[in-house]
Amino acid sequence: MSAPVRTAIFPVAGLGTRFLPATKATPKELLPVVDTPLIQFAINEAREAGVERMIFVSHPSKAAIERHVMDDADLRATLTARGKTDIAQALHETALCPVGDDVVFTMQHEPLGLGHAVLCAREHALPGPIAVLLPDDLILGKSCLAEMVDAYAQAPQGHMVAAMHVSQEETRKYGILSVTGRDGRVVHADGMVEKPKPQNAPSREAVVGRYVLDGSIFDDLANQPPGAGGEIQLTDAISRGTERLGLAGFRFSGTRYDCGSKGGMLRATLDLAAQDPECAEVLEEVLSSGKIAFRTSSAA
Ligand code: UTP
């Protein structure tokens, strides 16, 4: 049995270059899927997993994230005074409360990579394994982190990463697990290969943005020289710990959307809009009108 996961880390200090110019003034993590910012989905997921402390690794230029995440009593009071009590109540329920919740904001002043962002959380993390959630990997359905935390509690120790089956062609876009065995939803691995050529991919089990990591990840990150692109890569540190600790993938039950890309964001938006009565009506009308001109190639 492993120690409980008490800390969730949200790295949110990246540049969001793939969404420029939208992300020039608005952090990528606040881009909405219909009416809910990406970061909110990740917070809800971590809450369901029962973590005690949430650490946001942000950047001074992204202060809007803190404004969204934390409770805004003044806004709620204004809404209540105007009779919009249901909206005020909904905001209260989703926001983190400075008194009741254990929340830390810490800064990564330069975007030196995901691994570096996780290392920035070190002094604030509670003892034991940590969870890392990348908000631009949106996972809908049952809380992926809650599923992983349950599975991790049964595991002996080591690192666990969320895993998803992809086509052979898509392996080039992900970290791919080198699989040694399977046990239900748990995929045992002895390493992972970053973005392999499809013909060299060791499996079709792709790693996506949820991690439960042994606390020694911080030492491995601190002792690690910069990797690809001069950044401190989280996957390099996980790989370094694999031989010592073991590595498992977890096949989560939900649906994952790559909301770091325009296509993934659009897919998520369409799927959620189809579930929302107000939007579904519009969507149906637009699609059945036959008036959308699709352009699938960039050629004029
Ligand atoms: P991404 O690589 O998807 O985000 O990192 P990015 O770098 O902001 O986006 P692009 O590639 O330029 O479009 C996944 C998560 O890790 C955070 C990001 O904010 C995002 O939530 N991150 C990334 C950091 O906090 N610090 C970094 O140095 C890099």
Side-chain angles (χ1 to χ4, degrees), residues 218-234:
F218 291 123
D219 281 338
D220 283 335
L221 284 168
N223 295 325
Q224 186 174 294
E231 296 186 343
I232 305 282
Q233 305 285 349
L234 183 62

Side-chain angles (χ1 to χ4, degrees), residues 76-96:
R76 284 193 292 109
T78 306
L79 290 167
T80 305
R82 295 183 181 187
K84 298 184 191 298
T85 44
D86 48 343
I87 303 178
Q89 182 58 26
L91 287 181
H92 192 39
E93 279 164 18
T94 50
L96 297 175

Side-chain angles (χ1 to χ4, degrees), residues 11-18 28-29 62 108 111-114 117 135-136:
V12 294
L15 294 173
T17 47
R18 284 170 292 167
K28 173 170 76 171
E29 298 77 10
K62 298 177 89 174
Q108 182 193 29
L112 297 177
L114 178 57
D136 54 350

Side-chain angles (χ1 to χ4, degrees), residues 10-20 23 28-29 39 57-59 62 65 108 110-118 132-137 209 231-232 258-261:
F10 302 83
V12 294
L15 294 173
T17 47
R18 284 170 292 167
F19 266 105
L20 283 169
T23 46
K28 173 170 76 171
E29 298 77 10
I39 190 71
V57 181
S58 188
H59 184 268
K62 298 177 89 174
I65 295 179
Q108 182 193 29
E110 255 189 283
L112 297 177
L114 178 57
H116 181 261
V118 171
V132 177
L133 297 96
L134 307 190
D136 54 350
D137 260 342
E231 296 186 343
I232 305 282
D258 173 14
C259 288
S261 75

